[in-house]
Amino acid sequence: DKGVWFGLLDENWEPIATLSPSDVSEVNTRLASPELSLDHDGMKPGGVSTMVDELISPDLGVFDEQGRFEASNIVGRSIGVQRGRTRQAYFIPYVDAQGEKMPETLHVESSGLMSLLDATPCPSVPESWRGGFEVRAANAAGTYKTPREYSLVEFATRADGYTVSGSAESAIRTVVQDSIDAVMRHMGWELPHMVVDFSSSGVESPDALIRVEDDFILPTVQETARTAGVAITADLWWPGDEPVVTRAAPQSGETALSMWDHPVAVIRINQMASGGT
């Protein structure tokens, strides 16, 4: 009736149940991950709600001394929100269950798909990220208490000057997709969980030079996007949606129309008209 759908999503961003939340609050800030908070009934006629089954179960976390739920992060759950053709997924790092004997109300704080860019490495030499892990129990400094997994990659130094240049829109897209490709290749992931939309914004974008220093993606491109007036957003693509214009291959200048048989986070990077603020 309100033109919006709320749902609980599993670790693959596929729907588990439709929700009827209350006290919904959404905060959207440019170049930052959107935030969502909501309350939901913990009980339903005849028992507990799906939210309690999925978010407050013995193997998903524990309650601290103040009665707050601390997730064990064993499986991922998200809140899905769809308005028209726009769909967002919000990760759930925090759940507060309230009630004297049963979880009568659940309070959820969550962060949108842009938070992926804050948690994904941005390699200065993405071509060097090719995987091949080995377990070591010691290095030149001595023996580890716990064996560690190592993999050889190259890192830039401040004197190296690793940069990506071009129009701001194009340079940011390249940095983001190069980083995603590098991490996927390094981890041996074959199915993409995140892609950049390479469709043209149709707006002229100023020249930019992005210095890549092995930070995370968002802090690497954030200032360039801010000063150039480039918008960076993320939304959730589901099978059956319109194809996405993606880069045809790593380091390629060609694009292709892509569709998948699983949900994918689509990063959209577009120059705003008149430079935007």
Side-chain angles (χ1 to χ4, degrees):
D1 294 339
K2 297 181 180 179
V4 58
W5 173 84
F6 290 90
L8 185 64
L9 311 180
D10 68 11
E11 65 273 21
N12 298 312
W13 295 322
E14 295 181 350
I16 297 173
T18 294
L19 305 178
S20 299
S22 60
D23 294 328
V24 177
S25 175
E26 291 182 81
V27 177
N28 288 279
T29 304
R30 186 186 162 216
L31 299 178
S33 184
E35 297 178 352
L36 171 74
S37 64
L38 57 82
D39 291 336
H40 198 280
D41 289 339
M43 306 299 295
K44 65 180 182 181
V48 298
S49 70
T50 301
M51 285 282 278
V52 171
D53 284 339
E54 294 292 335
L55 301 182
I56 312 293
S57 65
D59 59 345
L60 294 183
V62 297
F63 289 95
D64 64 16
E65 294 179 355
Q66 287 73 43
R68 293 175 302 213
F69 181 72
E70 296 180 347
S72 296
N73 202 29
I74 295 176
V75 295
R77 294 291 180 262
S78 302
I79 301 294
V81 180
Q82 180 159 345
R83 290 183 176 86
R85 295 187 177 184
T86 301
R87 186 183 305 112
Q88 180 64 250
Y90 292 87
F91 298 104
I92 306 174
Y94 173 81
V95 179
D96 184 10
Q98 300 176 353
E100 293 185 3
K101 295 183 179 180
M102 298 292 290
E104 298 173 3
T105 302
L106 298 183
H107 178 72
V108 175
E109 299 281 350
S110 55
S111 182
L113 291 171
M114 278 277 284
S115 59
L116 286 170
L117 300 184
D118 241 339
T120 302
C122 186
S124 58
V125 191
E127 298 84 358
S128 73
W129 286 51
R130 297 191 175 278
F133 289 89
E134 62 176 304
V135 178
R136 295 185 185 178
N139 67 4
T143 303
Y144 300 134
K145 291 183 179 179
T146 303
R148 309 290 184 184
E149 278 192 315
Y150 279 87
S151 183
L152 180 65
V153 297
E154 294 181 35
F155 291 94
T157 66
R158 292 189 179 277
D160 287 328
Y162 288 85
T163 58
V164 176
S165 61
S167 72
E169 180 182 87
S170 175
I172 294 172
R173 287 177 176 177
T174 297
V175 168
V176 176
Q177 189 63 63
D178 279 356
S179 300
I180 295 170
D181 289 344
V183 171
M184 286 190 57
R185 181 172 59 246
H186 200 75
M187 299 303 296
W189 298 338
E190 296 182 358
L191 298 178
H193 66 293
M194 177 169 48
V195 299
V196 174
D197 178 0
F198 275 79
S199 59
S200 174
S201 68
V203 180
E204 185 177 356
S205 185
D207 291 338
L209 193 68
I210 302 175
R211 188 176 182 88
V212 186
E213 298 178 317
D214 298 294
D215 201 338
F216 293 99
I217 292 177
L218 190 57
T220 299
V221 303
Q222 202 168 34
E223 189 55 33
T224 298
R226 191 187 315 279
T227 57
V230 174
I232 304 177
T233 60
D235 56 74
L236 181 60
W237 185 96
W238 271 350
D241 290 347
E242 294 294 320
V244 178
V245 179
T246 61
R247 191 166 66 180
Q251 310 302 319
S252 168
E254 299 180 357
T255 59
L257 289 176
S258 297
M259 300 179 70
W260 305 272
D261 60 3
H262 63 282
V264 174
V266 178
I267 312 300
R268 305 189 191 274
I269 301 163
N270 295 295
Q271 181 68 47
M272 297 186 292
S274 302
T277 56

